[in-house]
Amino acid sequence: MNQSPSPSPAPAFAVIPGAQVHQVLDGREEHVTRIVEAAYRLHGTGRTVNPDSYFLTFPDRPSSRIIALPASVGGDVDVHGIKWISSFPENVEAGLPRASAVLVLNDTRTGYPFACLESSIISAVRTAASAALAAVALSGQRGERPRRVGFFGTGLIARFVHTYLAGNGFVFDEVGVHDLSPDHARGFRGYLERAGEAKTTVHASAEDLVRSSDLVVFATVAGRPHVTDPAWFAHHPLVLHLSLRDLSTDVVLTSHNVTDDVEHCMKAGTSLHLTEQRVGHRDFVTGTLFDVLTGGAACPPDRPVVFSPFGLGVLDLAVAKHVYDEVAGDGALHTVPGFFHEMNRYG
């Protein structure tokens, strides 16, 4: 009689809390940007799988959502996984961060999950690294880096973007800030001053911020376009449109548009999606950041240049796998004994 195979040892499952994630990533801005760049290059050459993000929304809380980002990354990263990230803007008034997240890594050979990581930091880091990478590449095509930056929205993402711009060599003569909440704007100005930005201005109007900035960072929670006048951008700034829904179709159509993945950006009511619905085509998008990195897309000097990244799960996985490898290499993994229990097929 055939004997059933002996069960293999249960795979280990680790939990990596935010403190360990922070310890690995803090102060490593340039290195993490290279990790994100490598992930973009893998994605651009077809060595990733990045399905649509899945949005869980709530009829009684229209401003809130939870998003699932499944993905797979090949090459040296070699991992599957999923990020599960919530955005509840009302948390801020209650003293909690707007976003919270976890990320699960799966083994590419067995499919078994082997780690769960706190991921709000990972998400902020990959967003900031993507923004900084785009700022470096796009300003490099124009021949000089912007010296005046403006932040529209002053939350965690804005703080990380500033840190990553500085970590990638940007030096600013002037920093502008605008937020619908004066308290949040003042708080962000305090952060900037502690970070060494000597000339920081809180702008009362969005128009003043945009017109006085050569690099504009949109990091809001806007659900629909609210910046509608292309004349604000007549000085042809570089725009990091990270929150995706701030710019009207008129602004998009008068700009040079670059994204991280064209197909992904044409959904979920983004400014690019609304523009596609208006004009019936996608010709207003020049290409992707991968195209810029590989010399396939050039930026004109006489138009605003707008980078609108949807945010790819493959970036989260690349950063998370780096964190896991670093923590494991230090022998500091917190494993959960017996997490997988039913390992014998027949009991």
Side-chain angles (χ1 to χ4, degrees):
M1 183 171 65
N2 293 333
Q3 298 291 319
S4 61
S6 299
S8 299
F13 184 79
V15 175
I16 301 179
Q20 287 185 308
V21 175
H22 172 78
Q23 184 177 16
V24 171
L25 299 177
D26 186 44
R28 304 293 305 283
E29 290 84 11
E30 188 172 7
H31 180 67
V32 174
T33 303
R34 300 286 76 76
I35 291 172
V36 167
E37 179 181 358
Y40 271 126
R41 292 182 182 276
L42 287 171
H43 185 66
T45 53
R47 287 179 285 175
T48 66
V49 180
N50 202 105
D52 287 344
S53 301
Y54 298 90
F55 290 72
L56 176 63
T57 57
F58 314 97
D60 60 330
R61 302 190 66 154
S63 65
S64 300
R65 61 193 181 187
I66 309 178
I67 311 172
L69 289 83
S72 176
V73 187
D76 293 337
V77 181
D78 190 32
V79 75
H80 310 317
I82 187 168
K83 181 176 73 172
W84 181 239
I85 182 166
S86 69
S87 175
F88 280 54
E90 292 83 2
N91 283 355
V92 175
E93 295 304 318
L96 286 172
R98 172 188 61 85
S100 57
V102 294
L103 189 150
V104 175
L105 296 176
N106 294 73
D107 181 76
T108 56
R109 184 179 63 85
T110 67
Y112 266 81
F114 61 87
C116 177
L117 299 87
E118 195 285 330
S119 196
S120 65
I121 298 171
I122 289 170
S123 190
V125 160
R126 67 85 153 142
T127 300
S130 169
L133 177 65
V136 169
L138 294 169
S139 63
Q141 286 197 347
R142 289 183 152 192
E144 61 180 356
R145 290 190 173 187
R147 303 287 296 189
R148 303 181 303 165
V149 63
F151 290 90
F152 196 145
T154 58
L156 183 75
I157 297 299
R159 173 162 64 87
F160 270 83
V161 170
H162 174 264
T163 300
Y164 267 74
L165 289 171
N168 280 274
F170 282 81
V171 178
F172 301 111
D173 298 325
E174 301 176 25
V175 181
V177 176
H178 176 73
D179 196 285
L180 295 180
S181 166
D183 288 342
H184 295 166
R186 285 192 294 269
F188 191 66
R189 181 177 63 181
Y191 152 74
L192 291 168
E193 290 172 348
R194 292 191 301 274
E197 298 292 357
K199 188 174 182 181
T200 302
T201 303
V202 175
H203 292 275
S205 76
E207 181 178 358
D208 287 346
L209 176 84
V210 173
R211 288 186 181 275
S212 63
S213 304
D214 303 315
L215 172 61
V216 185
V217 180
F218 284 96
T220 74
V221 293
R224 61 183 61 88
H226 55 98
V227 176
T228 60
D229 189 351
W232 292 9
F233 303 85
H235 57 303
H236 312 310
L238 171 59
V239 179
L240 302 177
H241 187 206
L242 307 182
S243 33
L244 290 172
R245 296 170 179 85
D246 302 274
L247 305 180
S248 73
T249 57
D250 287 336
V251 174
V252 170
L253 290 172
T254 55
S255 300
H256 177 88
N257 296 285
V258 177
T259 185
D260 54 355
D261 185 291
V262 177
E263 189 65 37
H264 281 271
C265 269
M266 298 297 176
K267 56 176 62 73
T270 66
S271 295
L272 296 185
H273 184 205
L274 296 178
T275 305
E276 180 190 34
Q277 291 177 326
R278 173 181 165 182
V279 301
H281 60 76
R282 300 176 176 183
D283 296 347
F284 55 88
V285 176
T286 301
T288 66
L289 181 55
F290 174 76
D291 297 326
V292 174
L293 292 171
T294 55
C299 297
D302 58 348
R303 297 175 71 189
V305 174
V306 178
F307 176 57
S308 299
F310 195 78
L312 301 177
V314 296
L315 307 182
D316 295 283
L317 291 195
V319 175
K321 183 58 162 42
H322 169 69
V323 171
Y324 175 87
D325 290 342
E326 290 292 304
V327 175
D330 289 340
L333 284 176
H334 302 290
T335 58
V336 181
F339 186 83
F340 299 105
H341 178 63
E342 283 288 353
M343 302 302 296
N344 189 331
R345 186 171 187 177
Y346 301 111

